[in-house]
Amino acid sequence: MQVTERQFYMLKDIHVITKVGSKGGCLPLKDALIYDPRELKSLQDNDYVKAVTLMMPCGGEIRGFQLTHKGEWALRKLEAQYKLDALEAPIALNTERQCLTPEQVDTLRDIYHFCRLRKSGGIFPRKEAEAFSADDLEFLYLHGYVLKIQSGDTSGKKEKGFILSNKGEDIVRGVEESRDQGCGRP
């Protein structure tokens, strides 16, 4: 499928909105109502976008859409064609990382890197999470560093697990940058 200009801007909007902390890392259904449902369905059927349900620590749910790896790749590829500024803005180092234990930071890093694997579908599965301390995962969830996610595709296949929130990604990026500069452990 060739992504049309209209679909490109939909992908771009989804990417930008997922960076807004209050949106929970996805384009909520109510915000998706401004788009043509056929266009959104076409993106979903061709694996550029996936439907997700995020469970928040307060008990609330956010249902919406996220980009898949294929969608992110297409967005990056077409970015130059439409002459847009880079989609990633620099993120300031979050000083809260000093409140986390080294094991919790390592857990965040593992979740981050696992979610980037193509086979993971952007989710850190619950079965993989069993290898980590349940207390650490609960702490990270309750303090907003990770979100519980339930994802489903058009075939009905459901996946449950965790993803990093923007707050968690800030921590990982800060740690990765400090390690690249030779600063060692946080």
Side-chain angles (χ1 to χ4, degrees):
M1 173 190 150
Q2 182 68 25
V3 177
T4 65
E5 182 176 355
R6 190 172 178 177
Q7 290 172 329
F8 167 76
Y9 283 108
M10 289 173 69
L11 292 173
K12 180 182 163 286
D13 290 347
I14 292 170
H15 176 78
V16 170
I17 288 176
T18 60
K19 299 298 180 193
V20 177
S22 64
K23 301 294 183 184
C26 71
L27 172 70
L29 284 175
K30 65 179 181 170
D31 294 336
L33 294 175
I34 64 170
Y35 301 112
D36 181 359
R38 292 173 298 203
E39 295 279 342
L40 194 55
K41 179 79 170 137
S42 173
L43 288 173
Q44 193 175 3
D45 289 343
N46 288 289
D47 197 33
Y48 290 103
V49 175
K50 64 181 175 183
V52 297
T53 302
L54 300 173
M55 280 65 74
M56 308 302 276
C58 64
E61 279 186 356
I62 297 177
R63 294 179 189 272
F65 300 95
Q66 279 184 337
L67 294 180
T68 62
H69 289 295
K70 183 178 177 182
E72 288 178 17
W73 180 82
L75 185 60
R76 302 263 181 243
K77 182 179 168 191
L78 295 170
E79 176 182 44
Q81 180 179 341
Y82 295 105
K83 296 177 177 57
L84 296 173
D85 295 333
L87 295 172
E88 296 295 332
I91 297 175
L93 179 62
N94 192 336
T95 57
E96 286 186 54
R97 91 168 177 207
Q98 296 166 353
C99 300
L100 299 175
T101 66
E103 293 78 20
Q104 291 168 337
V105 173
D106 287 342
T107 300
L108 288 174
R109 291 181 70 228
D110 288 346
I111 293 171
Y112 174 79
H113 290 294
F114 192 92
C115 289
R116 295 183 59 93
L117 296 174
R118 181 174 292 245
K119 71 175 186 173
S120 75
I123 296 175
F124 186 71
R126 285 192 181 167
K127 65 181 177 182
E128 295 289 334
E130 292 172 1
F132 294 94
S133 165
D135 292 338
D136 283 346
L137 275 173
E138 188 67 17
F139 175 87
L140 294 171
Y141 173 66
L142 291 175
H143 288 87
Y145 294 100
V146 296
L147 300 170
K148 291 181 182 176
I149 185 169
Q150 178 177 327
S151 174
D153 60 16
T154 55
S155 68
K157 179 181 166 192
K158 298 239 184 228
E159 296 180 48
K160 293 182 180 181
F162 298 92
I163 60 170
L164 288 183
S165 67
N166 292 339
K167 186 177 177 181
E169 281 189 26
D170 290 349
I171 297 293
V172 172
R173 286 189 179 126
V175 169
E176 298 288 329
E177 287 172 7
S178 67
R179 287 179 192 245
D180 289 343
Q181 296 170 0
C183 295
R185 202 173 253 308

